[in-house]
Amino acid sequence: MLTQIRGLHHVTSMASGARANNAFFTRTLGLRRVKKTVNFDAPDVYHLYYADEIGTPGTVMTYFPFPDAARGRRGAGEVAVTAMAIPQGAATAWEDRLRDAGARNIARDTAFGATRLLFDGPDGERLALVETAQDDRAPWTGGGVEAEIAIRGFHSVEMLLRDAGPTVELLEFMGYRETAREGAVTRYEIEGGNPARAIDIRTDPAAPRAQQGAGSVHHIAFSVESRAVQAEAAEKLAQAGWPTTPQIDRDYFHAIYFRSPGGVLFEVATDEPGFDRDEERAHLGEALKLPRQHEHLRAELERSLEPLEG
């Protein structure tokens, strides 16, 4: 069993437009854009990171906004809901804020004893705000959302699978344990680590297969402390039958990837070096930062990439 995983590091999704995506996450949700860079494999596409003040692991929502991308189809084999933590009693204020912003498909319910507010993002991605007690993470308030209700970081993700068994086996190997069941959803949590420690699995054998596109989660990343610890985890995963990619330098963290049995792409990402490695903390996310191999494209990219406000 792995002992290195500390909870979620980040969640990466796809979008159809950079400006609308940036406006929603920075203005409506009040997160900080901590990095404006490009997709390593498609440098003509942004990679935008939204988080707390410094991009603490467990708070980072990232997007690949492919211009005019077709919308994905919801279904099995994907992350169906990405949930973020808010203080207890904050759901009503958020419901009003989201309605004023024109968010669609807003619904309130209770999940595992906590009040939850569900809504769609700009590309139909299903998001949730979960009232959470004893979450002492400091929120970013520079986006116009007061500290009393501001988002603290991730709460959990919910995967929709036809057959949960093999994925549960993997999560248990990664250090997760079942902590609760509610209808077709089972919650798995990792002891210790960061506050973004819950993974929910909804099982539906009849669910249609998901098709990725705008609004789909591309992958979820789990947090480990360092490259050395990441290498230990990769070796143990390979020995257990889940081989990973080599360690890949993503500038702000190192990453390894592997496909989970249910179809969701998993990443294990390091907490180091962080998003302030090439920008002062006071100016995170302001300048276009390019991977070294794409720096020669700067002039072309600055002309072609969709301008962002803020």
Side-chain angles (χ1 to χ4, degrees):
M1 186 185 80
L2 300 186
T3 58
Q4 294 89 348
I5 303 296
R6 301 160 63 93
L8 290 174
H9 184 284
H10 65 268
V11 176
T12 295
S13 297
M14 295 185 289
S16 61
R19 183 177 295 180
N21 181 263
N22 179 76
F24 183 79
F25 281 91
T26 61
R27 294 182 187 176
T28 302
L29 295 189
L31 300 180
R32 187 183 193 188
R33 190 181 70 223
V34 295
K35 198 60 58 180
K36 180 171 67 171
T37 184
V38 296
N39 186 314
F40 272 60
D41 302 314
D44 59 336
V45 174
Y46 278 120
H47 193 176
L48 302 175
Y49 293 78
Y50 311 105
D52 66 359
E53 181 179 6
I54 61 171
T56 305
T59 73
V60 187
M61 188 79 196
T62 99
Y63 272 86
F64 300 136
F66 289 87
D68 301 317
R71 184 161 293 190
R73 183 182 67 201
R74 294 178 184 172
E78 68 172 356
V79 170
V81 182
T82 302
M84 291 164 274
I86 57 173
Q88 284 191 308
T92 298
W94 273 106
E95 186 169 2
D96 293 341
R97 183 180 182 88
L98 290 167
R99 289 195 189 282
D100 290 345
R104 296 189 173 189
N105 297 318
I106 299 172
R108 190 193 291 228
D109 68 5
T110 300
F112 297 101
T115 298
R116 183 173 68 163
L117 188 66
L118 295 123
F119 57 99
D120 288 351
D123 286 289
E125 61 269 52
R126 200 62 171 154
L127 303 170
L129 300 176
V130 181
E131 291 191 351
T132 307
Q134 299 177 333
D135 190 333
D136 59 0
R137 290 177 288 182
W140 170 247
T141 56
V145 178
E146 56 269 27
E148 290 75 17
I149 67 167
I151 291 168
R152 268 45 184 176
F154 289 122
H155 174 275
S156 58
V157 295
E158 180 186 293
M159 294 188 283
L160 174 61
L161 306 177
R162 289 176 174 174
D163 178 9
T167 298
V168 169
E169 181 182 349
L170 170 59
L171 286 175
E172 290 177 342
F173 180 78
M174 293 170 65
Y176 284 83
R177 290 291 177 265
E178 179 181 331
T179 57
R181 291 194 182 200
E182 193 170 85
V185 182
T186 306
R187 172 159 292 174
Y188 299 86
E189 296 183 84
I190 197 161
E191 186 176 353
N194 68 41
R197 62 174 60 92
I199 302 290
D200 293 341
I201 296 182
R202 179 179 296 276
T203 305
D204 182 355
R209 183 64 61 186
Q211 182 174 317
Q212 281 209 335
S216 300
V217 171
H218 185 271
H219 63 267
I220 59 174
F222 298 87
S223 164
V224 292
E225 183 179 0
S226 65
R227 290 185 68 189
V229 172
Q230 184 187 63
E232 294 172 1
E235 182 178 5
K236 290 184 178 181
L237 283 164
Q239 290 172 350
W242 292 291
T244 73
T245 66
Q247 291 175 306
I248 301 171
D249 185 355
R250 296 302 194 196
D251 285 350
Y252 311 106
F253 48 87
H254 284 76
I256 57 174
Y257 302 88
F258 62 106
R259 185 71 62 178
S260 70
V264 179
L265 182 62
F266 281 8
E267 174 185 342
V268 178
T270 61
D271 292 354
E272 58 180 20
F275 293 95
D276 58 355
R277 67 175 296 273
D278 58 1
E279 287 182 296
E280 294 182 4
R281 288 189 175 185
H283 299 287
L284 289 178
E286 295 179 6
L288 177 64
K289 295 297 181 179
L290 298 177
R292 290 180 298 276
Q293 64 269 38
H294 297 319
E295 186 60 47
H296 69 286
L297 299 173
R298 176 172 291 278
E300 175 185 344
L301 293 174
E302 288 181 340
R303 285 193 303 270
S304 63
L305 288 168
E306 182 180 8
L308 304 179
E309 296 181 7

